[in-house]
Amino acid sequence: MCRKLTDTQRQSILENAIKLIGSRGIARTTIRDIAEASGVSVGVIYKYYQDKKTLFEACLDHSLKFLSDTILSASAQSTSLADGMERLARVSLKFAEEHPEYIRMYYAITGSSDPEETLIFARRIEAVSAHEYNALLERAQKAGEIRSDVSPRILSFCFDNLLMMLHLTGCWPYYDARRKVYCGDADDEELIKGVVAFAKSGLGLKEPEGN
Amino acid sequence: MCRKLTDTQRQSILENAIKLIGSRGIARTTIRDIAEASGVSVGVIYKYYQDKKTLFEACLDHSLKFLSDTILSASAQSTSLADGMERLARVSLKFAEEHPEYIRMYYAITGSSDPEETLIFARRIEAVSAHEYNALLERAQKAGEIRSDVSPRILSFCFDNLLMMLHLTGCWPYYDARRKVYCGDADDEELIKGVVAFAKSGLGLKEPEGN
Amino acid sequence: MCRKLTDTQRQSILENAIKLIGSRGIARTTIRDIAEASGVSVGVIYKYYQDKKTLFEACLDHSLKFLSDTILSASAQSTSLADGMERLARVSLKFAEEHPEYIRMYYAITGSSDPEETLIFARRIEAVSAHEYNALLERAQKAGEIRSDVSPRILSFCFDNLLMMLHLTGCWPYYDARRKVYCGDADDEELIKGVVAFAKSGLGLKEPEGN
Amino acid sequence: MCRKLTDTQRQSILENAIKLIGSRGIARTTIRDIAEASGVSVGVIYKYYQDKKTLFEACLDHSLKFLSDTILSASAQSTSLADGMERLARVSLKFAEEHPEYIRMYYAITGSSDPEETLIFARRIEAVSAHEYNALLERAQKAGEIRSDVSPRILSFCFDNLLMMLHLTGCWPYYDARRKVYCGDADDEELIKGVVAFAKSGLGLKEPEGN
DNA sequence: TATGAATGAGCTTTCATTCAT
DNA sequence: AATGAATGAAAGCTCATTCAT
């Protein structure tokens, strides 16, 4: 009846799906819910996405674009490794606060999908950040900026683990509660400073003189 | 057919539920599956657990006992902070390898449940380890063993974040894939050594002379 | 809520399904229709029959029992081949008039199912009558009662073809109309007499003297 | 895109519909399938055919033209009743082998449609052959070529029943299986000869001397 | 006039929950 | 007190039909 979905509507499907998955989990998000939230019919969703799973994968891809853009941009603006680390920590928390549904959905999908498929997701999700961090730390190691007794890949794994927790913290009730259990009422600033300090030492980063 | 459920049977219900949730996820685990796997009737499960959600909460509690026992025991055996950290890192990976279903279930439940309820879970889950780590690090800080420029609570938060990833890594396909993306083929030993080294530096741990 | 289906109810499911398929065809018979007509819930049908197809196969089996009983009984009562042929022709029309839904359903199923599966149906359906007719005619041929220039199997095929049409005629609008187109207003008696006469001559049956 | 449908296209719609119905059955043939197979849009089909049912009726009509042409032509070429019967038997099997989709579709439609409507189909389908056979046999009866104790209409009904089975046999798995159950491995030639012999005797056909 | 995307009723199937036994 | 068959709401998905373009 409506003639060809507008781009807005197509976007709307993904975004509403992401929001719904983020807030209720995959199992409790129905195609009908998504259709209604997006103001389209059930049928049209199946026009664009083969089935529920395919739609959810598209949601993941959609949100990953945002995430990787954020990471790459923070990375590009950094003037030094130390600066980059702090930027990344900050955008991790900020992104989570501004687009909590993306992180939530990402968590819901990785946690609920068929084990076999999570492999593919993992590659897609981590490829961007892993590659970026590895490159960053490899360079730093060669430049003697960081410790050399641990491989840069494991170091970036550790670093990403910390960032990941910052992502989850603040946008998912569970992780928020966890943060409170650990950190009490420490505010974002204190948290970020603390985590960055921990990470810098963990990497064995030699602070430039004047710091 | 009318004998009261033995304790063994009640245990069995929880353990089978945990196994099933861990391997298939919440949505694909049915009460009937659990009943059959445990050799009891569907009805009796509803005698003991109000509904599916309540049963899953009980599963969580059940598995947390194992986890906290493991942590407390590792902690108790440790001769120094450095030793304790390494012990904890090792049992994290080992526990995950020996009881993957516990970690998987924990992840499935925190990821899929009603956001509101995860708060309660979080408190329950983290209370044990958080308390233990906080105490450990507070003591260490007072003894001048670790850095004092970051609050011990944030330090234990960082430390737990790393352990958590070790838990997930190795028992959940997604995190296993993620590890591969980051660390390539580095083996468990190299991974643990690397993570512990990172954590020690992150905490600013002064190695005792003779080590 | 009702505790265990009574035998009557289970029968009722099959019989209602047969009636519905017979009157509306397979595609337009829904599980919900059958459940409602039988006074049971939708779910319970899936307790007893894996899926729609399985239910329909059960319907076929159910109705075939009636059909084969009818045929065998007519066959058993016959005093001679000529007598048997007439009996069979009569029960064919009579059965169709008394249980039109059985014939209709049989037709609907053979016509609509997956081609591959009709093979199995065919064997089940025809095994009874084919075997009976073959035996009958083989004996008759050996006794010199019927022609010997055509194999008894082809003769029974021809004979069954005629009976089949009598089955369909009178219980399925299409075949009834077809009968009218051909035979005009000839009544059942005239039709049966004519068909039997045709068949007898076709088989080359030598009428016993006194007839 | 707005050119009026050519006759070829309209033909194509019918023929593709027939093929699809013949191979998959009515329920599994969608308007979209037919449109795509015919290279036209879904909408245009609704321009020419009120709905799915109407389209299928048109398919039936279309295929009946072929069938009646075949019958009339066989009939016209025949030099005697005996010759005509054999010709008709042969073209029945041959037509079914060459255009199985027509027979299959005819069967699918008569079996699945609304019972009430099959009346109309029946008249249309049988009108041609019934009229032809009736005329043939009436003439033969008057000429004393065949038995006179059974009305020519019932005789032609019997004869058509046999031909109908030859039609179905060989192009529909169910009837093919049925043939095997009855006739074993008897080949087409043996089958035709047998059926024709049966029918000739059934009609009481006096073979002309020199045959 | 032809198009084909959009519609949404309706289908099969699942499974948490109930309750007669 | 335990059983497990029955329930029926609700899910994913299909497809005949419509109608803006």
Side-chain angles (χ1 to χ4, degrees), chain C residues 8 59 70 74-75 80 89 126 132 135 157 160 183-184 186-187 200 206:
Chain C
T8 318
C59 289
T70 310
S75 202
S80 69
E126 309 298 347
E132 189 66 21
F157 179 61
D160 187 54
C183 310
D187 63 16
K200 281 182 187 168
K206 284 100 185 163

Side-chain angles (χ1 to χ4, degrees), chain B residues 30-51:
Chain B
T30 71
I31 297 293
R32 164 181 281 258
D33 290 339
I34 296 169
E36 272 169 14
S38 314
V40 300
S41 71
V42 170
V44 82
I45 291 184
Y46 280 88
K47 211 66 163 184
Y48 288 97
Y49 306 99
Q50 202 178 84
D51 54 21

Side-chain angles (χ1 to χ4, degrees), chain D:
Chain D
M1 53 170 97
C2 297
R3 222 78 286 285
K4 194 152 180 169
L5 244 47
T6 62
D7 273 3
T8 317
Q9 279 178 305
R10 294 201 54 180
Q11 288 273 39
S12 168
I13 292 173
L14 288 181
E15 276 161 20
N16 284 297
I18 289 171
K19 249 172 232 154
L20 287 168
I21 296 169
S23 62
R24 297 135 79 136
I26 286 187
R28 283 152 72 191
T29 299
T30 71
I31 298 292
R32 163 180 283 258
D33 289 339
I34 296 169
E36 273 170 14
S38 314
V40 300
S41 71
V42 171
V44 84
I45 291 185
Y46 281 88
K47 212 67 167 183
Y48 288 98
Y49 307 99
Q50 202 177 84
D51 53 22
K52 208 188 182 189
K53 206 174 63 188
T54 309
L55 169 60
F56 288 171
E57 286 176 24
C59 290
L60 201 52
D61 271 345
H62 185 76
S63 71
L64 287 180
K65 249 188 253 137
F66 274 79
L67 187 59
S68 64
D69 285 357
T70 311
I71 288 172
L72 291 174
S73 136
S75 205
Q77 287 169 36
S78 65
T79 57
S80 69
L81 181 54
D83 178 58
M85 286 173 66
E86 188 156 342
R87 279 178 191 277
L88 285 167
R90 283 189 195 286
V91 297
S92 291
L93 255 188
K94 201 172 147 219
F95 183 89
E97 272 160 21
E98 283 172 6
H99 301 289
E101 66 276 14
Y102 285 62
I103 309 287
R104 281 188 207 127
M105 180 221 53
Y106 145 81
Y107 191 77
I109 287 187
T110 57
S112 304
S113 303
D114 201 322
E116 309 241 326
E117 327 224 330
T118 57
L119 287 161
I120 301 161
F121 295 159
R123 294 240 164 69
R124 275 205 285 234
I125 293 173
E126 309 299 346
V128 179
S129 46
H131 184 263
E132 188 66 21
Y133 300 160
N134 274 339
L136 207 69
L137 293 182
E138 219 160 312
R139 237 180 298 125
Q141 206 175 49
K142 276 194 188 124
E145 288 181 272
I146 58 168
R147 71 197 302 165
S148 56
D149 59 337
V150 177
S151 101
R153 320 190 94 203
I154 290 182
L155 291 177
S156 56
F157 179 61
C158 291
F159 180 54
D160 187 53
N161 285 346
L162 294 175
L163 291 189
M164 198 165 181
M165 288 297 164
L166 286 182
H167 265 136
L168 294 174
T169 300
C171 80
W172 194 263
Y174 172 75
Y175 285 94
D176 207 38
R178 184 173 170 271
R179 166 187 168 171
K180 287 229 170 56
V181 169
Y182 272 101
C183 310
D185 296 325
D187 63 16
D188 277 13
E189 194 54 36
E190 190 188 344
L191 181 63
I192 287 177
K193 291 264 195 251
V195 171
V196 170
F198 181 94
K200 280 183 186 167
S201 307
L203 294 178
L205 181 67
K206 285 100 186 164
E207 293 285 348
E209 322 299 86
N211 202 359

